[in-house]
Each structure stands twice: as structure tokens, then as C-alpha cells.
Amino acid sequence: MRATAEVWGRLVAAGFRRQSSYRLAMLAGLATNVVFGFIRASVLFAAIDSAGGSLAGYDKGTASAYVWLSQGLIGAVTLTGIADIGDRIRTGDVAVDFTRPVDLQTWHLAEDLGRAAYSLIPRGIPSVLVGALTVGLALPTAALPYAMGLLSIALGVTISFYCRYAVNVLGFWLLDTRGVRTFYAVTSSFLAGLYVPVGLFPDWLHAVAAATPFPSILQSPVDVISGHVAGADAWRALTLQVFWVAVTCVAGRALTTAGRTKLVVQGG
Amino acid sequence: MAETTWATPYRAILASRVRAQRAYRTGFALDLTSSLLIGVTELAEIWIIFHNVQVLGGLDFHAILLLFGLSNLAFSSADLLVGHLDTLPTYIRAGTVDAFYVRPLPLLAQLMTSEISLRRMTRIVVALVALGFGLSLNDIDWGPATVAMLLVAAVFGTAIFAGLFTCAAALQFFLVNGSELTNSFTYGGAYASSQPAAVFPAPLKLVFGYLVPVAFTAYLPTLAILGLPGPAGLPTWLAWLTPLAAAWVWGLAALLWRWGTRHYQGGGG
């Protein structure tokens, strides 16, 4: 048990350290976050003005918090399809991974949690600061939303990882996963509420989004930290996240088991 | 033998890309679908906003369709023509650029023909559909000036985005591994161009109106075509200066490209 925890800790630390070596990429990510944050905030503000000061429960302060928190979290939750596992499946390196004493899915999850934790420092915090200093944010003054928010971010990153893992594991059947990954990136960012909060969706589209794990990846953590959902609603959001962690984890494992039998490794 | 022009390698590469990309049918179909989906979700985002409000930045939904169509037509055409310039960092790292230097074609021309991604064509389809609806649903006073404005927007709007892609690529000579940094301006500019610039606070109006002049690709032409007044700092008549905005971007691109290629020391090996 202690040994397992140690392995876990080391993998998380490795993910954290590996990410810290990509300085320019972090700066680039931050620049993108800030440019898009300004544009998104302008559009939402104009929409709120046009609607008479309030839109689907958002006023300018809470809309601004929504925009800048989501821009800050996007690096951590990563809705695009990272390809390392898919690449290892394509090249056959995954066969080596299967012989390791650590479970493939769990090992990559640990690294991804480390990666996400690091990206909050150079991308997450500065994005929120830029928003706070330029347009101002309405954030809760109590400590509880932040504590629940951190838990919600961790759950969101985990769901996001399990989804990306499942997409990559499709590589056992598809070889080239680029098309599926793009498809995933577009659908997930849209339904996660990256560009427009899910609360603004018309009812039918809201129902579609609610049937997917994507709002639990981004919209829920943002809603919980910003206090947009509070009390019993916040706990409900966290419970739903736990549900999606379980579903996406099991889906990824089932695909791995099925895919392993398809794996053909060249050479001896 | 046919005369060899700058377009000859372009045609040859295009034909080979068509063959290569059709070889993997499932992957190609998925690529086309994903690219279509990008355009569709962008339009859906705007539609969702208008599900909640009547007017955004002085434009109604029909006017926004015209804006979205023009902006996406310019961006996706430029992306199809030169979007693959963002592979330059990969070439620099791999040392492939050195091989380009010894060939008897300008480096930029070779890079532009190095790869054509056909999947990018489906986004043009979304743009054209939005533009079609935008042109038919709005009450437009058709005349030679309207047609001229549409042509100016399509041609020079594409030139503006192509110039921005070139600027971004030129900076890669200084920032190997930094393509994401410049992407924030190319893709951020594309996103900004599909929004009514009236929503921007003054500093952003200056940036997207004059410095990275994406307001010229769609917003100003939309105002001109619909005969609407512009917001403070962006009067409607500026739309006719779109060629000038394109010249500014291309001047910048030429300058950066010269600096970049002179700065380049070779990939070693």
C-alpha cells in the first residue's frame, strides 16, 4: 500500500516536472488565454448590456469571473486530444507499457494530474489576475467555494483525462487518431461551455450537453469556484462529477481490454 | 511543354495531396467532418448568444451571418492557401529548411506549396452557406458598390489573414517551438474578426482595427454593405481602405520574413 502511494507520488511529480520544462509553451498558452479571454469577455459583456444587465443569471462581474476562470483552467483540463498514448499505440511501444507493474491508465492519470497542477501556476493564476486587474471579477469571499472548487478542478481534470484516454485507445482500431481527436476537441470544448456558458444554451442543447461528461470538465469547476452554484447545488455538481469519473474510467478500461487483443507488435 | 510559372509547383503539389489524402478514406472523411464541425460549432456559438439577445454590438443575427460568412471565408481561404506555414518550426528542427534553401524557388513559395490540407475546404463551405444566408436575409441595396465591396472583402480579407500567417511563420525563425505564441494572434485574430468590433473596449478596437487589422476582413465591409454607421474609432468608410490594411500586413510580413531568413543559421548536421 505504501509502495503504491510512493509510485503514485513519483508519477505525479514527474508529470509536474516534465511540464515545468516547457517554459515557452506555457507563455504561449498564457498569451492565447489572455487574447481569447479579452474577446470572450467583450462579447459576453455586450450580450449582457443588450439583454438589459443580466443574462441567464450572469451579470458583468459573474460573467467576467466565468470567462477568466475558464481561460485559466483550460490549460489544466485540456479539452484538446493529447496524443502520447495514441502515438505509443501506433508505434507499438504500448506493448512495453503493458509489461510494466503499474496499470497503463492509472500511470498516465498520475502524470496528467501532475501536468495539470503545474499548468495552474504559469497559466491559471496569471489568467485570473489579468481578468481581475482589467475588467474585475465577482468572486466569493468565503473559503468553502474555493476548497470545493479545488476538489472540483481535480475531478474535472480526472474526467478530462479519462475521456482523452478513451479517445486515444481507439488507436487500437484506427491507427491514425487525428481525425477522432479533432472531432473530440471540437465537441468537448463546445459542450463543456468553453465559448458560451452552458446556462445560455437553449433547452434541447442544454439537455444534449447534460447527457455528456463535458460540462463536468469545465463548466462545473468554474461554477463552483465562482459561487455561481453554491450550497446543495455545488454538492450536486461534485456528485455528478464523481459519477462521470466512474463512467469514463470504466469506459477507458473496457476499451483497453478489448483493444489489447487487436494489438499486433512487429519484430521480435 | 507548358510554361513554368509559380503556380506549376502549386498545381503539382495539390494533385499529389489530393491523391495522398484520398488514400486513407476513413481518416480523410473524418478530417473533412471535423473541419466542417469546427465551422458549425463557431456558428452555433453565435447562434446561442442570439438565442438570448436580439442585438450584439449594433448588429442583429442576420447582419452577424453576413459578418461571420465574410470573416470565415477570408480566414479559411487563407488557411487553405498558407495555413501550413505553421509547420515551419518542424522543418527548422528537422533541418529540412536547409534543403529548401538550395532549390531554385524562393523559400516562401516552397513552404506555401509544401502541403495543402484539403480538409480545410469544408470550412469554406460553412462560410459560403453563412454568407449566402447573410446576403439573402438582409435588406441590401444592391449596386456596383455592394458587389465591389464584397469582392474587396473576399480578396483582401484573405490577403490580410495570409499576411498574418506569414508574419507568424517569420517569427518562428526567432522562436523555434513558439508557434503557439504566434497562433494566439492568428487564431485570436480570426476569432476577433468574426465578432462585431463595436463590442470591444477602445484598446482592443485599436489592436484589431489597426495593428492586427482583422476588422477590415469582415466587420467594416459588413457595415458598408448594410449601410450602417461604425462605432467610435472605426467609421464605415474605412471599409474601402481594406487593400491598404492588407498592404500594411504584407509590408510587415515581408520585413519579418527578411529578418527571419537572415537570422536563420541552418539546422546543423
Side-chain angles (χ1 to χ4, degrees):
Chain A
M1 188 64 214
R2 239 192 79 207
T4 321
E6 198 185 313
V7 170
W8 249 84
R10 287 208 180 159
L11 286 170
V12 174
F16 188 92
R17 265 201 315 278
R18 193 207 294 187
Q19 198 62 18
S20 71
S21 59
Y22 296 114
R23 299 250 164 78
L24 192 60
M26 283 291 142
L27 183 66
L30 177 61
T32 312
N33 285 352
V34 169
V35 170
F36 277 77
F38 278 131
I39 303 170
R40 288 180 53 203
S42 308
V43 173
L44 268 185
F45 281 15
I48 288 169
D49 276 339
S50 178
S54 165
L55 185 64
Y58 289 97
D59 59 17
K60 281 194 179 173
T62 50
S64 175
Y66 167 80
V67 166
W68 291 101
L69 284 171
S70 56
Q71 289 302 111
L73 282 180
I74 192 68
V77 299
T78 325
L79 290 157
T80 51
I82 292 180
D84 3 355
I85 311 164
D87 283 342
R88 293 185 72 80
I89 291 172
R90 193 167 43 79
T91 57
D93 288 343
V94 73
V96 182
D97 300 341
F98 279 135
T99 65
R100 292 180 212 265
V102 190
D103 170 68
L104 182 71
Q105 193 192 30
T106 314
W107 157 39
H108 282 286
L109 170 65
E111 281 200 342
D112 200 59
L113 287 171
R115 179 199 59 76
Y118 178 79
S119 90
L120 287 176
I121 302 165
R123 284 182 70 175
I125 295 168
S127 290
V128 176
L129 277 179
V130 168
L133 294 174
T134 52
V135 277
L137 316 172
L139 288 173
T141 45
L144 185 65
Y146 296 103
M148 289 174 81
L150 280 179
L151 182 60
S152 185
I153 293 173
L155 290 169
V157 172
T158 308
I159 300 167
S160 167
F161 167 76
Y162 281 144
C163 288
R164 279 180 276 127
Y165 177 88
V167 170
N168 270 279
V169 169
L170 292 178
F172 281 121
W173 292 272
L174 292 173
L175 292 178
D176 180 15
T177 53
R178 196 186 65 179
V180 190
R181 278 187 283 116
T182 316
F183 190 85
Y184 172 79
V186 178
T187 334
S188 67
S189 344
F190 179 64
L191 295 177
L194 176 60
Y195 292 105
V196 186
V198 180
L200 265 64
F201 286 15
D203 291 339
W204 66 271
L205 196 56
H206 195 281
V208 170
T212 69
F214 306 128
S216 285
I217 294 177
L218 187 70
Q219 181 80 50
S220 301
V222 170
D223 280 349
V224 172
I225 312 174
S226 64
H228 192 70
V229 297
D233 286 340
W235 288 112
R236 214 173 348 239
L238 289 179
T239 314
L240 185 63
Q241 283 187 301
V242 172
F243 166 76
W244 282 117
V245 166
V247 171
T248 50
C249 173
V250 169
R253 301 193 82 81
L255 284 169
T256 312
T257 315
R260 260 180 102 147
T261 59
K262 296 278 295 183
L263 181 65
V264 180
V265 183
Q266 314 258 342
Chain B
M1 198 183 138
E3 194 190 343
T4 306
T5 64
W6 66 271
T8 310
Y10 210 85
R11 267 204 304 275
I13 299 282
L14 189 62
S16 84
R17 295 307 301 170
V18 172
R19 283 195 301 275
Q21 292 175 35
R22 282 177 49 201
Y24 298 94
R25 279 172 194 281
T26 319
F28 184 51
L30 250 165
D31 269 356
L32 287 179
T33 317
S34 305
S35 189
L36 183 73
L37 203 64
I38 294 175
V40 170
T41 50
E42 278 183 7
L43 190 56
E45 282 151 16
I46 294 171
W47 174 73
I48 291 173
I49 299 269
F50 277 92
H51 179 75
N52 294 274
V53 302
Q54 298 292 317
V55 181
L56 189 71
L59 300 183
D60 62 11
F61 185 57
H62 290 170
I64 292 274
L65 278 178
L66 180 58
L67 170 74
F68 179 89
L70 283 176
S71 136
N72 270 259
L73 179 64
F75 176 76
S76 48
S77 308
D79 194 30
L80 182 71
L81 292 171
V82 301
H84 46 277
L85 280 179
D86 63 11
T87 48
L88 182 64
T90 324
Y91 290 142
I92 292 176
R93 276 198 301 278
T96 322
V97 170
D98 297 16
F100 285 146
Y101 267 102
V102 297
R103 293 181 196 157
L105 258 183
L107 177 62
L108 189 59
Q110 290 187 56
L111 275 171
M112 283 184 177
T113 55
S114 66
E115 192 189 316
I116 310 277
S117 282
L118 295 174
R119 69 198 151 89
R120 291 171 164 140
M121 285 195 309
T122 37
R123 264 191 86 175
I124 299 186
V125 175
V126 180
L128 287 173
V129 169
L131 186 61
F133 276 104
L135 288 173
S136 56
L137 293 175
N138 284 293
D139 187 15
I140 296 172
D141 181 17
W142 284 97
T146 313
V147 177
M149 190 72 256
L150 269 175
L151 285 175
V152 164
V155 173
F156 292 97
T158 305
I160 288 174
F161 279 121
L164 290 177
F165 275 120
T166 311
C167 289
L171 288 172
Q172 303 316 319
F173 286 108
F174 303 96
L175 301 163
V176 178
N177 273 336
S179 62
E180 277 186 66
L181 197 62
T182 47
N183 277 354
S184 62
F185 283 93
T186 46
Y187 294 102
Y191 180 37
S193 76
S194 66
Q195 307 295 340
V199 304
F200 297 137
L204 282 196
K205 273 205 198 93
L206 278 180
V207 170
F208 294 122
Y210 298 96
L211 187 64
V212 184
V214 291
F216 285 87
T217 63
Y219 177 63
L220 288 165
T222 300
L223 295 180
I225 291 168
L226 299 179
L228 298 170
L234 288 172
T236 307
W237 56 263
L238 273 181
W240 293 102
L241 300 187
T242 302
L244 205 65
W248 151 250
V249 174
W250 271 102
L252 209 61
L255 202 68
L256 288 173
W257 190 261
R258 270 171 69 114
W259 275 351
T261 44
R262 284 194 185 158
H263 175 82
Y264 179 68
Q265 301 289 329

